[in-house]
Amino acid sequence: MKILIIEDDLEAAAYLTKAFREAGIVADHASDGESGLFMATENVYDVAIIDRMLPRRDGLSVITELRRKGVHTPVLILSALGQVDDRVTGLRAGGDDYLPKPYAFSELLARVEVLGRRKGTPEQDVLYRVGDLELDRLSHEVRRGGKEILLQPREFRLLEYLMKNAGQVVTRTMLLENVWDYHFDPQTNVIDVHVSRLRSKIEKDFSQPLLKTIRGAGYMIKDEG
């Protein structure tokens, strides 16, 4: 599972990020509403945790704008505003759950896991298609021409990110930050090795290549048919 935490309290955000990663959940962090809105729009997350009171753009405004843009990522609102009217306002703004502060991390984790299992996300957020290649984010199934392709977890995340950005050049740095979740020398060949393995799996026995290496730039997945 991959989640986004939009929280301006840096100490609290660092604690949550560490706790979620220890629970096996990848957690990205944005410290203000504008940055959080951009990250939630440009990346695919299973759940977003959003504080109500944020700099640059308040949490409810972020949620409303996400829904207007057609982003249906489940949202859990965290807030010191815990009265009934506050919770109702948050849910009506497009939130899926509301947890007042202070809270126990065990409860927050349980709520995030429940939201992450929801199957009601519209197809455009769940199923990616490039030509006859399909990737289902919920079932973690990949098929090409109706034939199932078995991928390792890292290969699946790599293909997922490439297909989300189909038709666009994806740099090695972008892949390191969004698929590997850490920063190191973008010249390392770990990217090339995984791309090569992925290419062999999705293009074996198929005449039409989809995954291209853009010399000096990165990679692109695109249907040229």
Side-chain angles (χ1 to χ4, degrees):
M1 186 185 298
K2 184 173 183 178
I3 68 172
L4 173 64
I5 301 170
I6 309 179
E7 167 65 74
D8 62 324
D9 184 329
L10 299 184
E11 184 176 347
Y15 165 76
L16 288 178
T17 299
K18 182 176 183 293
F20 276 118
R21 288 183 175 172
E22 288 176 349
I25 296 174
V26 176
D28 289 345
H29 171 238
S31 59
D32 63 80
E34 285 292 346
S35 299
L37 176 61
F38 176 79
M39 292 176 67
T41 303
E42 295 299 313
N43 299 283
V44 176
Y45 294 101
D46 296 291
V47 177
I49 299 174
I50 303 179
D51 186 16
R52 275 191 63 164
M53 294 178 286
L54 295 167
R56 299 184 66 196
R57 189 176 194 131
D58 71 89
L60 297 190
S61 172
V62 171
I63 298 168
T64 300
E65 184 63 13
L66 286 175
R67 300 308 186 227
R68 189 189 70 80
K69 290 176 175 288
V71 177
H72 296 275
T73 303
V75 171
L76 187 152
I77 301 170
L78 287 181
S79 179
L81 304 174
Q83 298 300 313
V84 172
D85 288 347
D86 298 318
R87 299 198 297 271
V88 170
T89 300
L91 296 173
R92 284 179 174 170
D96 298 275
D97 198 357
Y98 197 110
L99 184 60
K101 298 178 180 180
Y103 54 85
F105 178 75
S106 57
E107 181 180 3
L108 175 61
L109 176 60
R111 288 174 181 246
V112 166
E113 290 173 339
V114 169
L115 289 177
R117 291 197 296 267
R118 287 193 174 178
K119 306 296 184 183
T121 309
E123 181 176 329
Q124 63 264 30
D125 290 335
V126 173
L127 189 65
Y128 292 150
R129 290 191 182 95
V130 177
D132 59 351
L133 179 65
E134 297 183 351
L135 180 147
D136 190 314
R137 293 185 62 242
L138 291 181
S139 66
H140 273 230
E141 292 180 348
V142 175
R143 296 180 181 276
R144 185 167 184 190
K147 176 184 176 182
E148 184 175 7
I149 299 173
L150 300 179
L151 299 180
Q152 296 297 318
R154 185 74 67 184
E155 294 168 344
F156 183 89
R157 288 187 61 191
L158 174 59
L159 181 60
E160 178 184 19
Y161 189 75
L162 288 166
M163 292 183 74
K164 180 182 183 295
N165 296 280
Q168 304 176 42
V169 175
V170 174
T171 67
R172 289 174 175 80
T173 299
M174 291 167 65
L175 290 174
L176 288 173
E177 292 180 353
N178 291 279
V179 178
W180 273 260
D181 304 304
Y182 52 82
H183 305 264
F184 62 91
D185 183 4
Q187 300 305 314
T188 180
N189 70 345
V190 66
I191 300 291
D192 305 280
V193 170
H194 279 81
V195 169
S196 178
R197 290 175 182 168
L198 176 62
R199 180 184 280 120
S200 68
K201 291 186 177 183
I202 66 173
E203 297 189 348
K204 183 180 180 181
D205 301 326
F206 294 95
S207 59
Q208 179 66 39
L210 295 175
L211 182 50
K212 301 169 176 58
T213 299
I214 311 299
R215 187 176 298 276
Y219 305 95
M220 178 190 297
I221 193 164
K222 183 179 181 181
D223 177 25
E224 302 261 356

